[in-house]
Short mmCIF file of all heavy atoms in Angstrom, two decimals:
data_model
loop_
_atom_site.label_atom_id
_atom_site.label_comp_id
_atom_site.label_asym_id
_atom_site.label_seq_id
_atom_site.Cartn_x
_atom_site.Cartn_y
_atom_site.Cartn_z
N SER A 81 23.02 -17.15 -34.95
CA SER A 81 21.87 -16.94 -35.83
C SER A 81 20.62 -16.75 -34.99
O SER A 81 20.53 -17.23 -33.87
CB SER A 81 21.68 -18.13 -36.77
OG SER A 81 21.45 -19.31 -36.03
N ASN A 86 9.62 -21.36 -34.83
CA ASN A 86 9.17 -22.48 -34.01
C ASN A 86 10.09 -22.71 -32.82
O ASN A 86 9.71 -23.35 -31.85
CB ASN A 86 9.07 -23.76 -34.87
CG ASN A 86 10.43 -24.13 -35.48
OD1 ASN A 86 11.37 -23.34 -35.44
ND2 ASN A 86 10.51 -25.33 -36.04
N PHE A 139 -22.95 -17.34 -31.58
CA PHE A 139 -23.95 -18.27 -32.09
C PHE A 139 -24.95 -17.57 -33.00
O PHE A 139 -25.27 -18.06 -34.09
CB PHE A 139 -24.67 -18.94 -30.92
CG PHE A 139 -25.85 -19.77 -31.32
CD1 PHE A 139 -25.67 -21.00 -31.93
CD2 PHE A 139 -27.15 -19.31 -31.12
CE1 PHE A 139 -26.77 -21.77 -32.32
CE2 PHE A 139 -28.24 -20.07 -31.48
CZ PHE A 139 -28.05 -21.30 -32.09
N ARG A 145 -26.55 -15.80 -40.22
CA ARG A 145 -25.75 -15.24 -41.30
C ARG A 145 -26.58 -15.20 -42.58
O ARG A 145 -27.57 -15.92 -42.73
CB ARG A 145 -24.49 -16.06 -41.50
CG ARG A 145 -24.72 -17.48 -41.98
CD ARG A 145 -23.46 -18.32 -41.86
NE ARG A 145 -23.64 -19.66 -42.42
CZ ARG A 145 -24.22 -20.66 -41.79
NH1 ARG A 145 -24.69 -20.47 -40.55
NH2 ARG A 145 -24.34 -21.84 -42.36
N TRP A 157 -41.59 -10.65 -33.71
CA TRP A 157 -41.43 -11.11 -32.33
C TRP A 157 -40.77 -10.00 -31.51
O TRP A 157 -39.74 -9.44 -31.88
CB TRP A 157 -40.56 -12.37 -32.32
CG TRP A 157 -40.29 -12.87 -30.94
CD1 TRP A 157 -41.07 -13.73 -30.23
CD2 TRP A 157 -39.17 -12.54 -30.10
NE1 TRP A 157 -40.51 -13.96 -28.99
CE2 TRP A 157 -39.34 -13.24 -28.88
CE3 TRP A 157 -38.07 -11.73 -30.26
CZ2 TRP A 157 -38.45 -13.15 -27.85
CZ3 TRP A 157 -37.17 -11.63 -29.22
CH2 TRP A 157 -37.36 -12.33 -28.02
N ILE A 181 -20.54 -9.75 -1.16
CA ILE A 181 -19.13 -10.12 -0.99
C ILE A 181 -18.28 -8.88 -0.74
O ILE A 181 -17.39 -8.87 0.13
CB ILE A 181 -18.63 -10.88 -2.23
CG1 ILE A 181 -19.31 -12.25 -2.32
CG2 ILE A 181 -17.11 -11.05 -2.19
CD1 ILE A 181 -19.02 -12.99 -3.60
N HIS A 187 -15.16 -4.95 5.32
CA HIS A 187 -15.01 -4.91 6.78
C HIS A 187 -14.01 -5.97 7.26
O HIS A 187 -13.20 -5.70 8.15
CB HIS A 187 -16.36 -5.13 7.45
CG HIS A 187 -17.32 -3.99 7.20
ND1 HIS A 187 -17.33 -2.85 7.95
CD2 HIS A 187 -18.30 -3.84 6.28
CE1 HIS A 187 -18.26 -2.03 7.52
NE2 HIS A 187 -18.88 -2.61 6.51
N TRP A 222 12.77 3.74 2.20
CA TRP A 222 11.82 3.37 3.25
C TRP A 222 12.55 3.26 4.58
O TRP A 222 13.60 2.61 4.67
CB TRP A 222 11.14 2.04 2.92
CG TRP A 222 10.24 2.11 1.74
CD1 TRP A 222 10.55 1.85 0.44
CD2 TRP A 222 8.84 2.46 1.75
NE1 TRP A 222 9.45 2.01 -0.37
CE2 TRP A 222 8.38 2.39 0.41
CE3 TRP A 222 7.95 2.83 2.75
CZ2 TRP A 222 7.06 2.66 0.06
CZ3 TRP A 222 6.63 3.10 2.40
CH2 TRP A 222 6.20 3.02 1.08
N GLU A 236 15.15 -2.35 4.43
CA GLU A 236 15.11 -3.77 4.80
C GLU A 236 14.08 -3.94 5.91
O GLU A 236 14.15 -3.28 6.94
CB GLU A 236 16.47 -4.27 5.26
CG GLU A 236 16.48 -5.77 5.57
CD GLU A 236 17.85 -6.28 5.97
OE1 GLU A 236 18.20 -6.17 7.17
OE2 GLU A 236 18.57 -6.77 5.08
N PRO A 261 3.47 -7.38 -2.14
CA PRO A 261 2.49 -8.25 -2.79
C PRO A 261 2.32 -9.61 -2.13
O PRO A 261 1.21 -10.16 -2.12
CB PRO A 261 3.04 -8.40 -4.22
CG PRO A 261 3.89 -7.19 -4.43
CD PRO A 261 4.48 -6.88 -3.09
N ALA A 264 0.14 -8.47 1.66
CA ALA A 264 -1.16 -7.80 1.72
C ALA A 264 -1.24 -6.75 0.62
O ALA A 264 -0.23 -6.44 -0.03
CB ALA A 264 -1.38 -7.16 3.09
N MET A 374 -0.96 21.68 17.91
CA MET A 374 -1.78 22.69 17.25
C MET A 374 -3.26 22.28 17.24
O MET A 374 -4.14 23.11 17.50
CB MET A 374 -1.29 22.89 15.81
CG MET A 374 -1.95 24.04 15.06
SD MET A 374 -1.33 24.17 13.36
CE MET A 374 0.42 24.39 13.66
N PRO A 413 7.38 27.23 24.56
CA PRO A 413 6.07 26.55 24.60
C PRO A 413 4.88 27.49 24.69
O PRO A 413 3.78 27.12 24.33
CB PRO A 413 6.19 25.66 25.84
CG PRO A 413 7.22 26.33 26.69
CD PRO A 413 8.20 26.94 25.73
N LEU A 414 5.08 28.71 25.18
CA LEU A 414 3.97 29.64 25.31
C LEU A 414 3.75 30.49 24.07
O LEU A 414 2.79 31.25 23.98
CB LEU A 414 4.19 30.55 26.52
CG LEU A 414 4.26 29.85 27.89
CD1 LEU A 414 4.51 30.87 28.99
CD2 LEU A 414 2.99 29.06 28.16
#
Side-chain angles (χ1 to χ4, degrees):
S81 60
N86 60 348
F139 172 74
R145 66 192 184 280
W157 178 87
I181 292 173
H187 293 276
W222 292 92
E236 184 177 85
M374 187 181 302
L414 298 179

